[in-house]
């Protein structure tokens, strides 16, 4: 099937039915290039004029996370938009057979979220990020096809990105009506990632589902997950390299060594340049984390006047900045009874969440081995700030306990 348009373009074959039109493959004859056409049938002249204006409003957008509009036009029975083509196919056609790892899924959704934020600066908002409105490049990148029409609430903005993440991870073409169904699918898809990251992602998506997350806060969570994955992969590389060397060169581990060689052994076991960079990077990250806690602590207050304690590992003394005080004395605990030690290992310290932002408080709770819920209510504190929690900070509770905290939505108008 071929159809000529304006003696310049040729539509060759349909690719995918869209919500309001049809996607076709085609050619730009003068420039001898392949293109994609978005065609909407209409005979209403006023409706066609309005649609053309809508297309022209977004046409200047050149972000590489969107299919660029090259030309627009009208025919007696339809409107068309000429889109730049890329290698690949509509994502919905590849969804069932294309398997993204959780890390790739998070990275793709994060990238699309950045695209939505950039588009907002150009005055473009509300476009659908449902799998049916995305193009999948051969290199694995996702691009938005139609960004001039509004999607439904579950398809656009932060909710749309959350639902898209579910679609990618579970390879589902539709979105369930219940989050409990979504959670079940997510737990199966995320079984291979660490439990802390799994719980953080599911808890975040539940808040997205309940309209309790902003686009910016959701992006921060995805960014932190991607960074955690990158660090974990960097740490695992030296281990894998060592294992390969031990399997391929076993005889070197048993060579006779004289005293001089024994003295040279430690340098041979050094991490090398990559390992040194990792250690330096880890040290910088730790210092940055400590600085972040000090900065956050400046605005955190409790009725007792005590400072905020960062999340502590069991039996490890906290690092105490000079302007903070703690209920727990410094120094490790000595446990002589093995049964008592086993019982202590199941107990955790409740972190102080007062003064933290909502998403940060949730991360602190999960990192401490706890589950959480929260309520957003009117309060004198700044919007998004935690002002109350149960149980109180610094108390011991069984691991997995659900704590609750209250978040301010600002003063009532």
């Amino acid at each position: 099937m071929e159809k000529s348009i304006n003696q310049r373009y040729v539509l060759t074959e349909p690719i995918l039915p869209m919500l309001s039109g049809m996607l076709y493959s085609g050619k730009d004859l003068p420039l001898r290039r392949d293109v994609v056409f978005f065609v909407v049938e209409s005979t209403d002249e006023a409706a066609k004029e309005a649609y053309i204006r809508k297309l022209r409003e977004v046409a200047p957008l050149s972000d590489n996370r969107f299919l660029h509009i090259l030309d627009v036009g009208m025919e007696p029975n339809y409107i068309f938009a000429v889109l730049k083509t890329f290698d690949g196919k509509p994502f919905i056609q590849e969804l069932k057979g294309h398997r993204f790892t959780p890390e790739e899924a998070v990275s793709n959704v994060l990238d699309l979220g950045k695209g939505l934020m950039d588009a907002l600066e150009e005055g473009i908002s509300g476009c659908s990020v449902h799998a049916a409105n995305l193009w999948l490049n051969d290199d694995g990148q996702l691009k938005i096809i139609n960004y001039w029409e509004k999607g439904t609430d579950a398809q656009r903005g932060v909710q749309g990105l959350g639902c898209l993440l579910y679609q990618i991870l579970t390879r589902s073409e539709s979105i369930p009506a219940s989050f409990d169904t979504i959670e079940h699918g997510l737990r199966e898809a995320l079984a291979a990632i660490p439990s802390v990251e799994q719980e953080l992602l599911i808890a975040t998506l539940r808040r997205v589902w309940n309209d309790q997350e902003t686009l910016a806060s959701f992006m921060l969570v995805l960014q932190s997950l991607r960074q955690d994955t990158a660090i974990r992969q960097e740490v695992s590389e030296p281990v894998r390299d060592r294992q390969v060397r031990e399997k391929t060169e076993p005889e070197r581990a048993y060579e006779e060594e004289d005293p001089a060689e024994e003295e040279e052994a430690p340098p041979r076991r050094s991490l090398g340049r990559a390992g040194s960079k990792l250690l330096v990077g880890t040290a910088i990250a730790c210092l940055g984390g400590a600085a972040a806690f000090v900065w956050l602590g400046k605005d955190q207050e409790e009725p007792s006047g005590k400072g905020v304690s960062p999340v502590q590992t069991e039996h490890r003394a906290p690092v105490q900045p000079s302007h903070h005080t703690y209920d727990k004395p410094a120094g490790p605990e000595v446990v002589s009874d093995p049964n008592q030690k086993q019982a202590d290992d199941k107990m955790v310290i409740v972190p102080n969440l007062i003064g933290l932002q909502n998403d940060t408080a949730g991360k602190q709770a999960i990192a401490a081995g706890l589950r959480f819920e929260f309520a957003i209510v009117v309060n004198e504190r700044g919007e998004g700030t935690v002002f109350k929690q149960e149980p109180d900070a610094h108390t011991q509770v069984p691991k997995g306990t659900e704590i609750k905290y209250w978040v301010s939505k600002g003063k009532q108008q």
Side-chain angles (χ1 to χ4, degrees):
M1 163 257 181
E2 286 195 0
K3 185 172 185 178
S4 178
I5 302 177
N6 292 344
Q7 297 182 340
R8 172 174 181 173
Y9 303 113
V10 174
L11 275 65
T12 53
E13 59 181 343
I15 301 175
L16 180 74
M18 304 289 287
L19 184 63
S20 61
M22 176 70 75
L23 207 61
Y24 290 86
S25 61
K27 293 185 179 294
D28 183 341
L29 298 177
L31 297 179
R32 298 180 181 179
R33 62 180 177 181
D34 293 330
V35 290
V36 174
F37 292 88
F38 190 95
V39 178
V40 180
E41 294 184 0
S42 176
T43 56
D44 186 324
E45 291 300 319
K48 288 195 293 186
E49 289 288 349
Y51 202 91
I52 286 290
R53 285 196 299 270
K54 192 185 302 183
L55 286 167
R56 286 174 175 159
E57 285 174 2
V58 303
L61 183 66
S62 59
D63 192 289
N64 66 0
R65 287 154 290 207
F66 299 79
L67 295 189
H68 304 161
I69 297 176
L70 304 175
D71 192 11
V72 298
M74 285 191 299
E75 289 291 300
N77 297 321
Y78 59 88
I79 311 122
F80 67 90
V82 184
L83 308 177
K84 182 178 179 180
T85 190
F86 294 87
D87 294 333
K89 293 181 178 180
F91 182 42
I92 198 70
Q93 296 178 352
E94 298 290 305
L95 182 60
K96 292 289 188 182
H98 191 96
R99 183 179 293 277
F100 282 109
T101 66
E103 292 82 3
E104 290 170 337
V106 167
S107 184
N108 265 291
V109 172
L110 176 63
D111 196 45
L112 276 181
K114 291 178 180 177
L116 293 183
M117 296 182 80
D118 290 344
L120 279 172
E121 296 181 1
E122 303 293 327
I124 300 170
S125 64
C127 60
S128 170
V129 288
H130 189 277
N133 192 41
L134 299 177
W135 187 275
L136 176 65
N137 273 19
D138 286 345
D139 62 3
Q141 184 188 19
L142 295 174
K143 297 177 182 290
I144 298 172
I145 300 172
N146 179 338
Y147 47 98
W148 50 91
E149 293 183 289
K150 304 291 185 183
T152 65
D153 289 344
Q155 295 174 347
R156 65 190 186 197
V158 63
Q159 287 195 355
L161 290 174
C163 290
L164 173 62
L165 186 54
Y166 166 81
Q167 287 187 283
I168 296 175
L169 290 171
T170 62
R171 295 187 287 174
S172 172
E173 294 181 359
S174 60
I175 305 297
S178 164
F179 188 81
D180 290 338
T181 306
I182 289 177
E183 181 175 349
H184 178 73
L186 287 172
R187 290 197 180 279
E188 290 184 350
L190 297 172
I193 73 172
S195 59
V196 171
E197 294 177 11
Q198 184 181 140
E199 293 299 331
L200 173 59
L201 186 54
I202 290 174
T204 302
L205 288 177
R206 181 179 288 278
R207 294 198 300 274
V208 168
W209 183 264
N210 293 326
D211 199 22
Q212 296 172 330
E213 284 282 354
T214 64
L215 177 58
S217 64
F218 183 52
M219 299 285 286
L220 286 174
V221 174
L222 296 184
Q223 183 71 43
S224 68
L225 285 169
R226 188 164 74 173
Q227 289 173 345
D228 290 346
T229 299
I231 292 172
R232 191 168 63 250
Q233 289 174 342
E234 288 180 15
V235 170
S236 66
E237 280 299 325
V239 176
R240 286 199 294 267
D241 292 344
R242 187 190 67 216
Q243 290 171 341
V244 169
R245 288 198 303 273
E246 289 175 351
K247 289 180 179 179
T248 57
E249 304 176 14
E251 70 279 0
R252 298 184 67 176
Y254 298 99
E255 292 177 350
E256 290 187 7
E257 299 181 354
D258 58 28
E261 289 177 335
E262 290 180 2
E263 292 177 1
E264 293 297 325
R268 281 192 303 205
R269 297 190 186 98
S270 66
L271 292 175
R273 293 177 63 188
S276 299
K277 289 180 180 179
L278 177 60
L279 289 174
V280 171
T282 304
I284 292 172
C286 291
L287 289 173
F293 277 118
V294 171
W295 180 78
L296 287 169
K298 290 180 180 178
D299 295 327
Q300 299 177 16
E301 298 177 357
E302 288 186 48
S304 62
K306 294 183 179 180
V308 176
S309 171
V311 176
Q312 302 172 17
T313 303
E314 189 70 19
H315 307 317
R316 182 176 298 172
V319 177
Q320 301 187 17
S322 59
H323 60 282
H324 289 321
T325 59
Y326 298 87
D327 291 337
K328 183 178 178 180
E333 297 176 4
V334 178
V335 178
S336 56
D337 183 355
N339 294 328
Q340 179 62 39
K341 183 178 187 302
Q342 186 177 8
D344 288 346
D345 286 341
K346 297 179 181 178
M347 304 296 290
V348 296
I349 303 295
V350 177
N352 184 13
L353 308 180
I354 307 298
L356 298 180
Q357 290 297 299
N358 188 6
D359 57 331
T360 305
K363 292 179 187 178
Q364 293 277 31
I366 290 173
L370 303 168
R371 296 180 298 114
F372 71 92
E373 65 171 331
F374 65 90
I376 301 177
V377 297
V378 175
N379 188 264
E380 295 294 319
R381 286 281 191 128
E383 183 178 355
T385 304
V386 177
F387 65 89
K388 178 184 175 183
Q389 71 177 78
E390 291 180 359
D392 292 335
H394 314 307
T395 55
Q396 274 198 339
V397 297
K399 187 175 181 179
T401 297
E402 181 173 274
I403 64 173
K404 182 173 183 179
Y405 59 86
W406 284 260
V407 180
S408 171
K409 66 176 180 181
K411 297 179 182 179
Q412 191 168 11
Q413 299 297 324

